């Protein structure tokens, strides 16, 4: 089971929902923080990190003893990462998307494999939760390759909770792809609704079942509820606007740390998701 | 030696395009004979990234030894340097005026890009 938690709008409570659900289940859970530009789930789960791996990606390097400046590598590059001049070749590693087209088309075998560091993956343990996250190298502009590497550590036989970055662009799609269920966390504000609609459109394009969690409920307006009802999207859990929750969050504590009765609600959230996914599988 | 000028149009009366990588045209001119041609840069205007790099290649392929433009970023600049093209930045007015300035020796070359890259 792979559940990806996404939101559209940032700061709606993706990580809050993810970490609380992870610690509320009575089974092996893998938590994968794919918000690699600003991972924060470790602040709440407080894992002991046991392994740290540097992740690199392919970039070309030119062997000038072989290159005859034919220009084929520059022509195939869709990202302008190679510029072939009359008697010199420049490469721009930060523009490269690692497609290896240049390596493939070079008739002189003058394109060599080099690498650019994307970031690191850290894995460890927090109680019964196996914790994994990616940390993008400072200065690196592309996060999807690292997100895909983090997701290689999914074990489908277990419950995997994937914490996606905010937004609806490539990094979010990378985090959502291949999931069994998309859990969208939103808030009852016009801004929350606007970005929820964008997220729903993205998830529907990926053809996976989805459901919503309304955080800071009781605040704002009822636009989100009307939208969900209209679109037949199940509202699986409401988390109230509660000072106690906000205070706990600011201390790096989870809801279930200060209100243990919420464990049942998060377990219930998982069971509802499981029910929807199983029903889908039977169709 | 030919010079290249980033331009908003195809003629000598058109204004210099302050953008290099995403300029509308490059006017390639021989200042001695005043023979010139306009090179269309549409393909680079639509590039996702690296427009300056490819624009520098275009100018190099046209055999220019000097580029006169408004702004030049770091990646375009290293490519122009590798192609041994002298770069003059912050030049405005029409293409014709720039050629006259060049002939009078009033064009000076930059040793560094004059704008930031679009990434970091």
């Amino acid at each position: 089971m792979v559940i990806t938690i996404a939101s559209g709008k940032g700061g709606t409570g993706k990580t809050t929902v993810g970490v609380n659900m992870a610690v509320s289940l009575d089974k092996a859970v893998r938590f994968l923080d794919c918000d690699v530009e600003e991972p924060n789930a470790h602040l709440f789960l407080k894992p002991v990190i046991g392994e740290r791996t540097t992740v690199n990606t392919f970039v070309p390097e030119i062997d000038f003893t072989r290159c005859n400046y034919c220009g084929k590598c520059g022509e195939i590059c869709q990202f302008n990462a190679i510029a072939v001049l009359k008697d010199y070749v420049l490469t721009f590693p930060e523009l490269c998307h690692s497609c290896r087209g240049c390596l493939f088309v070079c008739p002189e075998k003058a394109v060599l494999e080099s690498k650019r560091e994307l970031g690191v993956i850290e894995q460890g343990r927090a109680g019964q939760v196996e914790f994994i996250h990616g940390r993008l190298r400072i200065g690196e502009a592309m996060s999807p390759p690292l997100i895909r590497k983090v997701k290689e550590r999914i074990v489908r036989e277990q419950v995997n909770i994937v914490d996606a970055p905010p937004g609806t662009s490539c990094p979010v799609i990378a985090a959502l792809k291949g999931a069994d269920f998309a859990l969208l966390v939103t808030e009852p504000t016009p801004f929350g609704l606007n970005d929820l609609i964008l997220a729903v459109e993205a998830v529907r394009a990926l053809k996976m079942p989805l459901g919503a969690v309304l955080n800071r409920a009781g605040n704002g307006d009822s636009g989100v509820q009307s939208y969900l009802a209209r679109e037949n999207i199940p509202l699986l859990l409401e988390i109230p606007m509660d000072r106690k929750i906000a205070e706990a969050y600011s201390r790096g504590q989870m809801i279930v740390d200060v209100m243990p009765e919420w464990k049942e609600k998060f377990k219930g959230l998982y069971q509802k998701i499981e029910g929807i996914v199983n029903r889908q599988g039977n169709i | 030696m030919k010079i290249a000028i980033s331009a908003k149009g195809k003629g000598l009366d058109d204004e210099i395009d302050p953008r290099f990588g995403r300029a509308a045209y490059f006017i390639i001119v021989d200042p001695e004979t005043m023979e010139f041609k306009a090179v269309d840069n549409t393909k680079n205007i639509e590039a996702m990234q690296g427009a300056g790099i490819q624009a520098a290649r275009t100018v190099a392929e046209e055999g220019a030894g000097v580029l006169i433009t408004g702004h030049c970023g770091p990646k375009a600049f290293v490519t122009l340097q590798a192609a041994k093209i002298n770069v003059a930045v912050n030049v405005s007015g029409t293409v014709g005026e720039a050629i006259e300035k060049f002939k009078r020796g009033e064009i000076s070359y930059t040793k560094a890009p004059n704008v930031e890259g679009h990434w970091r």
Side-chain angles (χ1 to χ4, degrees):
Chain A
M1 168 73 93
V2 181
I3 301 166
T4 295
I5 305 179
S7 70
K9 184 183 176 298
T12 58
K14 286 180 294 301
T15 305
T16 298
V17 170
V19 297
N20 279 286
M21 186 162 68
V23 299
S24 298
L25 307 185
D26 308 311
K27 51 174 119 187
V29 176
R30 295 173 85 79
F31 188 96
L32 301 99
D33 191 347
C34 283
D35 190 1
V36 300
E37 287 179 76
E38 40 197 349
N40 66 341
H42 61 283
L43 300 175
F44 303 96
L45 290 170
K46 303 176 180 68
V48 178
I49 299 296
E51 184 222 323
R52 191 167 189 273
T53 308
T54 301
V55 180
N56 297 305
T57 190
F58 163 85
V59 294
E61 193 182 302
I62 306 301
D63 179 350
F64 285 99
T65 64
R66 287 173 170 270
C67 180
N68 63 4
Y69 312 99
C70 73
K72 290 204 169 78
C73 55
E75 277 164 35
I76 198 161
C77 184
Q78 299 302 298
F79 300 98
N80 292 333
I82 304 183
V84 182
L85 301 169
K86 206 162 70 241
D87 53 7
Y88 198 68
V89 181
L90 288 117
T91 61
F92 297 89
E94 66 273 37
L95 299 183
C96 176
H97 282 55
S98 307
C99 76
R100 293 170 185 260
C102 50
L103 200 68
F104 184 75
V105 297
C106 178
E108 306 299 322
K109 296 198 177 1
V111 178
L112 308 176
E113 289 203 37
S114 186
K115 61 192 182 186
R116 177 181 89 228
E117 185 187 326
L118 291 172
V120 297
I121 294 178
E122 293 175 324
Q123 182 159 349
R125 197 93 200 153
Q128 59 165 10
V129 178
E130 186 68 23
F131 176 88
I132 300 135
H133 72 179
R135 303 170 77 105
L136 197 68
R137 174 180 59 83
I138 291 173
E140 173 60 48
M142 278 175 247
S143 65
L146 181 61
I147 292 171
R148 287 191 285 268
K149 284 285 180 190
V150 172
K151 286 179 71 191
E152 282 176 12
R153 302 194 180 202
I154 284 173
V155 176
R156 295 204 86 99
E157 296 70 33
Q158 295 177 5
V159 176
N160 301 268
I161 297 172
V162 176
D163 197 5
T168 42
S169 61
C170 299
V172 179
I173 304 304
L176 278 166
K177 261 191 176 166
D180 298 306
F181 191 87
L183 185 59
L184 303 178
V185 183
T186 188
E187 59 177 33
T189 63
F191 197 177
L193 174 59
N194 180 75
D195 287 9
L196 171 68
I197 294 170
L198 297 176
V200 167
E201 285 171 10
V203 170
R204 284 189 171 154
L206 292 169
K207 296 185 173 31
M208 62 178 70
L210 74 166
V213 170
L214 185 62
N215 192 15
R216 294 191 275 274
N219 196 21
D221 58 38
S222 59
V224 167
Q225 283 99 324
S226 328
Y227 168 76
L228 292 174
R230 210 160 56 233
E231 292 291 323
N232 274 317
I233 297 166
L235 176 53
L236 304 173
L237 182 69
E238 289 190 36
I239 302 171
M241 180 75 173
D242 186 334
R243 190 182 171 91
K244 216 171 153 187
I245 294 173
E247 281 176 2
Y249 176 88
S250 68
R251 285 192 298 265
Q253 286 180 303
M254 294 178 275
I255 300 175
V256 298
D257 289 332
V258 291
M259 298 150 101
E261 66 277 15
W262 272 81
K263 242 181 172 164
E264 282 310 309
K265 298 197 184 189
F266 281 106
K267 202 188 282 183
L269 170 64
Y270 175 75
Q271 283 160 351
K272 284 180 197 166
I273 293 169
E274 204 176 28
I276 295 170
V277 171
N278 288 343
R279 268 205 304 285
Q280 291 266 332
N282 292 340
I283 294 167
Chain B
M1 180 203 55
K2 285 189 270 190
I3 64 177
I5 300 156
S6 60
K8 290 182 176 172
K10 295 182 192 177
L12 299 184
D13 292 333
D14 286 304
E15 260 184 85
I16 292 179
D17 197 326
R19 299 167 308 169
F20 171 55
R22 291 176 203 273
Y25 295 94
F26 296 114
I27 306 294
I28 311 292
V29 59
D30 182 332
E32 277 163 31
T33 62
M34 286 308 277
E35 250 178 79
F36 74 96
K37 70 167 182 175
V39 179
D40 186 280
N41 193 41
T42 311
K43 205 180 110 227
N44 277 334
I45 293 173
E46 290 162 0
M48 258 186 290
Q49 57 178 28
I53 297 166
Q54 289 307 315
R57 275 196 63 230
T58 303
V59 169
E61 273 172 17
E62 292 297 335
V66 168
L67 166 71
I68 297 173
T69 189
H71 310 307
C72 180
K75 294 194 182 71
F77 189 74
V78 296
T79 311
L80 290 161
Q81 270 194 318
K84 302 178 182 70
I85 296 169
N86 286 317
V87 185
V89 293
N90 296 325
V91 183
S92 55
T94 68
V95 171
E97 285 164 5
I99 299 167
E100 289 311 313
K101 271 188 204 169
F102 174 81
K103 285 186 180 172
R104 291 198 300 266
E106 290 169 13
I107 293 286
S108 58
Y109 303 125
T110 182
K111 289 188 173 64
N114 68 333
V115 287
E116 295 266 315
H118 296 298
W119 290 19
R120 78 178 102 156

